């Protein structure tokens, strides 16, 4: 009997593990199809059902995504090349990005472009840009990106107030230029609550429906007492928190020993600052020069906090200081360039405490000319903390009981004023631009509300400190040029010739004369300002002169300082709050061989880029300060809608006038329609608008009376109506030319039109369209 052997069934291949599948997907750039996974692991026949079940389990666990059922990808895994949007800057200066058009429910993976890689790409990308990038996983769920090319702008991101009402959720932009509100669909609110300050991103609009946006980040709440400053800082991307690594480095800092430093502790140096100042980065001392070869001369010492000792090039503190570039001064706070451990403690020249400083001794002759100077690294102990009011009282011989200062400090203050009087003589010969524009300070109460707006009183004491700070800055620039070291200058270029031509024409209409041809000097403007003061028109003419000036910048290419009328100038006296000054300090340490903390070769090689960056960030700080102040002042005046104010025209455009109202100094706008009953036409070259009927004018700098029509604190906007009549014009009314009627245009003389050309031939009607209208020529 023959027996047949039964064929044994081949054992089913085992399914791959979860880790095997993830590893395979990662090797396949994060995605593959189900069939390729089966082939890779030899899964056939009935086992495919088991693989499908395993993949579904992994999807349920959030490990992978099944796109369309067949395509498999690692959850959150991005392709190797894709467009990304730059959405912010990290504490390290890297660019923070996210995939363009990210729509998944979960947060996008973190993508960073290193600061080094970003700087190599020209032009350097910034927040809001969209780039095509090559992505590389970093192993922690994040990606490092390398830019391949710029491809435009990403979705617009802006700060808004989240409003949730009955059946409608919207984002109300805080930007003045934004129009309308943006609808927020369910699921796009990121958990925001009514009144939250949120970062939103516009969504692609379809058809003619309402504008749409999605919430990306919650920044704060509109009812917070410091919301207006928060808005300004966030809008301009100004960092407010220091990274832990920077704080740790600052906390480790220790005061240096006096060894190797000039000991100035017995010299009665003193600080002069605003009464509420917390950081004191400069101190002064003056005495008659003991050198008999300099009769009636002066010896002046300007001592500046030695920040370069604590903040070394390339350190975490240095990187953060450059990322900020300067301190930002807002009505309710100061956002410092350096952590408080340095700015308010180790680097602050506190009275009665030993502090390291970088000092310059300057010898001045009886005529105010600087004969010589020398820099020294020193240890000092401030003998007194004075306010500007204190210094002014001492100089005027006030009652000693009014100012708590020892006799040696009183003598030193009087000596400083004496040296200033000598310098004033030299300054008069130099003739810098004399634009003494008023400054205002917003005073807040305990609730963070505006209690008052006061004009900053200006004393001779302010001019004294300014003059010797300028002289110290000049000494720094001279020293570095002699040492042939790379440095950052403070540059103020001559006015643009085209702008000057417009100023000449404007001034000529007002019976002022600005020199023609050649090189205009500050003295030429000063002469006009002097005449304007006699005519009680100084504020108006000052605005014109100010508009003719270029903006001062930082640059490694020296082009002089037009406003100060100096051939070379560098910032040295405020390293606690300005990065440019810190750079100059390091260069001086190297130039004069004053020890550690000097300029490195790596730093010197990138000073041009640094100068450009800190110039941009200076403008950023100014804009944030102005925006925050505008919002506080708008809230301050919101209860006075309908009230009338004295004002001065600060700007003239084709849309209307910008005015500054007294006494608050708040800026507002008057639309053309609110100037009066007649129509007005804009004359750009003359900085004025002219009435069509009367020829009356409203011009830059003119004093007017206005009525407040609207105040919007959220955007800092004020809208006014003109109450004053226009000033008499010097030209005929700006009537519009009448457009001739069609009949008049068709009339001809001798078969020709008035212009001398024959009329165009009439077009024939098309056949087959008896009712068709003739086309218009």
């Amino acid at each position: 009997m023959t027996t047949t052997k039964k064929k044994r069934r081949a054992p089913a291949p085992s399914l791959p593990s979860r880790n095997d599948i993830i590893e395979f997907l990662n090797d396949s750039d994060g995605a593959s199809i189900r069939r390729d996974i089966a082939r890779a692991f030899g899964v056939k026949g009935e086992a495919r059902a088991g693989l499908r079940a395993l993949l579904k389990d992994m999807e349920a666990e959030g490990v992978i995504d099944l796109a369309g059922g067949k395509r498999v990808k690692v959850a959150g895994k991005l392709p190797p090349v894709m467009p990304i949007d730059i959405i912010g800057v990290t504490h390290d200066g890297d660019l923070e990005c996210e995939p363009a058009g990210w729509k998944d429910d979960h947060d996008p993976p973190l993508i960073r472009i290193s600061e080094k890689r970003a700087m190599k790409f020209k032009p350097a990308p910034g927040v809001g840009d969209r780039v095509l990038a090559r992505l590389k996983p970093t192993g922690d769920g994040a990606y490092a990106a390398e830019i391949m090319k710029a491809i435009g702008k990403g979705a617009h991101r802006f700060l808004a107030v989240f409003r949730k009402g009955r059946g409608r959720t919207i984002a109300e932009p805080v930007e003045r230029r934004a129009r309308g509100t943006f609808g927020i669909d369910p699921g796009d609110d990121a958990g925001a609550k009514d009144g939250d300050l949120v970062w939103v991103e516009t969504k692609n609009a379809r058809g003619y429906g309402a504008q749409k946006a999605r919430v990306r980040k919650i920044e704060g709440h509109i009812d917070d007492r410091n919301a207006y400053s928060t808005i300004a800082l966030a809008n301009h991307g100004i960092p407010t928190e220091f990274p832990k690594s920077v704080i740790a480095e600052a906390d480790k800092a220790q005061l240096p020993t006096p060894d190797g430093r000039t000991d100035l502790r017995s010299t009665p140096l003193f600080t002069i600052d605003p009464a509420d100042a917390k950081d004191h980065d400069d101190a002064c001392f003056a005495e008659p020069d003991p050198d008999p070869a300099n009769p009636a001369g002066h010896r002046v010492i300007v001592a500046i906090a030695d920040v370069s000792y604590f903040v070394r090039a390339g350190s975490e503190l240095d990187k953060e200081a450059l990322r900020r570039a300067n301190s930002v001064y807002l009505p309710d706070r100061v956002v410092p360039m350096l952590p408080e451990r340095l700015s308010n403690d180790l680097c602050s020249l506190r009275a009665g405490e030993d502090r390291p400083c970088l000092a310059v001794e300057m010898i001045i002759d009886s005529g105010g000319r600087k004969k010589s100077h020398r820099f020294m690294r020193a240890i000092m102990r401030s003998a007194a903390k004075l306010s500007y009011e204190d210094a002014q009282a001492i100089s005027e011989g006030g009652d000693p009981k009014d100012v708590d200062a020892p006799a040696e400090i009183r003598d030193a203050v009087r000596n400083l004023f004496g040296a200033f009087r000598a310098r004033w003589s030299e300054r008069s010969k130099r003739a810098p631009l004399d634009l003494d524009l008023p400054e205002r300070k917003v005073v807040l109460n305990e609730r963070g509300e505006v209690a008052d707006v006061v004009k900053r009183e200006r004393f001779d004491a302010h001019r004294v400190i300014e003059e010797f700070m300028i002289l110290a800055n000049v000494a720094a620039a001279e020293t570095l040029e002699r040492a042939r070291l790379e440095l950052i200058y403070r540059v103020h270029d001559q006015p643009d010739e085209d702008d000057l031509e417009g100023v000449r024409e404007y001034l000529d209409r007002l019976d002022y004369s600005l020199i023609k041809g050649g090189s205009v000097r500050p003295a030429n403007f000063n002469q006009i300002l002097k005449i304007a003061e006699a005519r009680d028109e100084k504020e108006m003419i000052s605005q014109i002169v100010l508009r003719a000036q270029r903006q001062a910048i930082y640059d490694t290419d020296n082009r002089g300082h037009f406003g100060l009328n100096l051939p070379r100038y560098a910032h040295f006296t405020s390293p606690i709050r300005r990065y440019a000054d810190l750079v100059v300090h390091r260069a001086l340490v190297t130039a004069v061989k004053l020890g550690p903390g000097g300029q490195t070769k790596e730093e010197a090689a990138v000073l041009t880029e640094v100068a450009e960056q800190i110039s941009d960030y200076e403008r950023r700080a100014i804009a944030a300060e102005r925006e925050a102040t505008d919002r506080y002042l708008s809230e301050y005046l919101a209860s006075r809608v309908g009230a009338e104010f004295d004002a001065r025209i600060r700007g003239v455009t084709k849309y209307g006038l910008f005015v500054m109202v007294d006494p608050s100094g708040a800026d507002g706008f008057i639309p053309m329609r609110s100037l009066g009953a007649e129509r007005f036409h804009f004359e750009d070259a003359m900085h004025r608008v002219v009435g069509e009927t009367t020829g009356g004018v409203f011009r830059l700098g003119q004093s007017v009376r206005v009525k407040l029509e609207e105040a919007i604190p959220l955007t800092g906007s004020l809208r006014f109506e003109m109450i004053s009549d226009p000033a008499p014009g010097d030209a005929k009314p700006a009537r519009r030319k009448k457009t001739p009627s069609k009949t008049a245009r068709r009339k001809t003389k001798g078969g020709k039109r008035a212009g001398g050309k024959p009329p165009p031939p009439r077009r024939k009607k098309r056949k087959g369209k008896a009712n068709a209208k003739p086309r218009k020529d």
Side-chain angles (χ1 to χ4, degrees), residues 556-595:
T556 52
D557 179 22
N558 181 31
R559 298 185 297 281
H561 197 293
F562 177 82
L564 295 175
N565 200 14
L566 291 168
R568 61 191 57 80
Y569 192 64
H571 275 165
F572 156 74
T573 55
S574 297
I576 291 178
R577 61 184 179 88
R578 289 189 308 227
Y579 192 82
D581 303 54
L582 174 56
V583 170
V584 168
H585 272 233
R586 291 189 188 128
L588 287 168
V589 168
T590 298
V592 192
K593 297 180 175 57
L594 296 176

Side-chain angles (χ1 to χ4, degrees), residues 13-85:
S14 60
L15 294 175
S17 69
R18 285 170 165 76
N19 288 338
D20 290 337
I21 293 175
I22 295 298
E23 188 175 345
F24 173 78
L25 292 174
N26 284 332
D27 290 341
S28 305
D29 291 329
S32 184
I33 59 175
R34 197 170 59 204
R35 181 179 58 191
D36 289 344
I37 297 174
R39 284 178 179 174
F41 294 101
V43 180
K44 300 177 181 179
E46 297 176 1
R48 289 176 179 268
L51 178 62
R52 285 197 297 271
L54 174 61
L55 293 177
K56 285 188 176 182
D57 288 344
M58 292 176 69
E59 183 186 34
E61 295 165 5
V63 178
I64 61 171
D65 291 328
L66 295 177
K70 293 185 179 180
R71 185 166 179 81
V72 184
K73 67 174 184 176
V74 178
K77 184 79 174 182
L78 302 179
V81 175
M82 74 175 302
I84 59 176
D85 291 335

Side-chain angles (χ1 to χ4, degrees), residues 1-154:
M1 186 175 177
T2 307
T3 58
T4 57
K5 290 185 178 179
K6 205 172 185 181
K7 283 187 178 181
R8 294 185 61 186
R9 206 168 175 184
S14 60
L15 294 175
S17 69
R18 285 170 165 76
N19 288 338
D20 290 337
I21 293 175
I22 295 298
E23 188 175 345
F24 173 78
L25 292 174
N26 284 332
D27 290 341
S28 305
D29 291 329
S32 184
I33 59 175
R34 197 170 59 204
R35 181 179 58 191
D36 289 344
I37 297 174
R39 284 178 179 174
F41 294 101
V43 180
K44 300 177 181 179
E46 297 176 1
R48 289 176 179 268
L51 178 62
R52 285 197 297 271
L54 174 61
L55 293 177
K56 285 188 176 182
D57 288 344
M58 292 176 69
E59 183 186 34
E61 295 165 5
V63 178
I64 61 171
D65 291 328
L66 295 177
K70 293 185 179 180
R71 185 166 179 81
V72 184
K73 67 174 184 176
V74 178
K77 184 79 174 182
L78 302 179
V81 175
M82 74 175 302
I84 59 176
D85 291 335
I86 301 171
I87 62 172
V89 182
T90 70
H91 289 302
D92 299 323
D94 297 341
L95 299 180
E96 193 173 29
C97 314
E98 66 178 30
W102 184 261
K103 296 179 180 179
D104 290 9
D105 292 336
H106 56 83
D107 291 336
L110 179 64
I111 305 173
R112 285 191 178 184
I113 302 172
S114 71
E115 183 180 22
K116 186 176 180 180
R117 287 186 180 274
M119 292 296 286
K120 287 181 179 179
F121 193 82
K122 302 296 181 183
V127 175
D129 289 340
R130 177 170 289 179
V131 298
L132 185 66
R134 184 175 288 108
L135 306 183
K136 183 178 180 181
T138 57
D140 54 358
Y143 293 82
E146 181 180 355
I147 301 173
M148 299 172 67
K149 67 175 182 177
I151 54 177
K153 291 290 182 181

Side-chain angles (χ1 to χ4, degrees), residues 338-534:
L338 300 173
E340 286 195 10
R341 167 70 173 158
L342 298 180
S343 61
N344 290 354
D345 187 2
L346 300 182
C347 294
S348 186
L349 306 182
R350 294 176 173 176
E353 297 184 22
D354 289 1
R355 288 291 181 268
C357 65
L358 195 59
V360 57
E361 176 191 67
M362 298 176 287
I363 304 301
I364 301 168
D365 67 19
S366 59
R369 291 178 295 275
K370 178 171 67 65
K371 293 187 64 177
S372 65
H373 69 264
R374 70 182 181 97
F375 283 91
M376 65 191 95
R377 221 169 190 175
I379 194 82
M380 63 162 284
R381 183 183 299 152
S382 174
K385 171 190 171 184
L386 303 177
S387 66
Y388 285 105
E389 292 84 353
D390 293 337
Q392 190 67 32
I394 292 172
S395 72
E396 294 172 354
D399 190 338
K401 295 179 182 178
D402 295 337
V403 180
D404 183 19
E408 61 178 1
I409 292 297
R410 293 177 178 276
D411 290 341
V413 170
R414 295 190 187 102
N415 288 334
L416 190 66
F417 272 75
F420 168 71
R421 285 188 288 272
R423 280 292 301 165
W424 195 256
S425 173
E426 192 277 337
R427 182 185 184 278
S428 299
K429 296 175 185 176
R430 177 166 52 90
L433 186 60
D434 189 17
L435 273 178
D436 200 2
L437 299 173
E439 293 183 28
R440 289 174 171 81
K441 179 182 179 181
V442 176
V443 180
L444 304 180
N445 60 24
E446 293 179 354
R447 296 186 300 276
E449 301 164 342
V450 180
D452 198 4
V453 182
V454 297
K455 279 189 177 181
R456 293 182 188 270
E457 194 171 359
R458 190 163 170 79
F459 304 103
D460 281 344
H462 289 91
R463 298 183 180 90
V464 169
I465 295 302
E466 286 172 6
E467 185 60 31
F468 288 111
M469 296 303 113
I470 289 171
L471 194 60
N473 288 335
V474 170
E478 290 175 348
T479 297
L480 294 178
E481 281 192 351
R482 283 200 295 265
R484 298 187 177 183
L485 255 69
E486 289 293 327
L487 74 144
I488 293 177
Y489 293 93
R490 182 62 166 178
V491 174
H492 184 212
D493 266 339
Q494 291 215 1
D496 180 77
E497 188 56 42
D498 290 340
D499 292 339
L500 281 179
E501 197 54 45
V503 170
R504 285 191 188 96
E505 185 180 350
Y506 179 86
L507 292 173
D508 186 60
R509 293 284 187 96
L510 298 177
D511 199 25
Y512 293 91
S513 179
L514 181 63
I515 185 174
K516 294 182 179 179
S519 179
V520 173
R521 306 305 305 161
N524 302 128
F525 286 119
N526 291 342
Q527 186 178 13
I528 289 173
L529 291 168
K530 188 174 181 181
I531 297 171
E533 188 173 18

Side-chain angles (χ1 to χ4, degrees), residues 2 62 125 145 175 221 242 279 293 311 318 321 356 395 449 515 534 542 560 637:
T2 307
E175 298 176 346
H221 197 278
F242 287 98
D279 57 327
V311 184
D318 180 50
S395 72
E449 301 164 342
I515 185 174
S542 293
L637 295 176

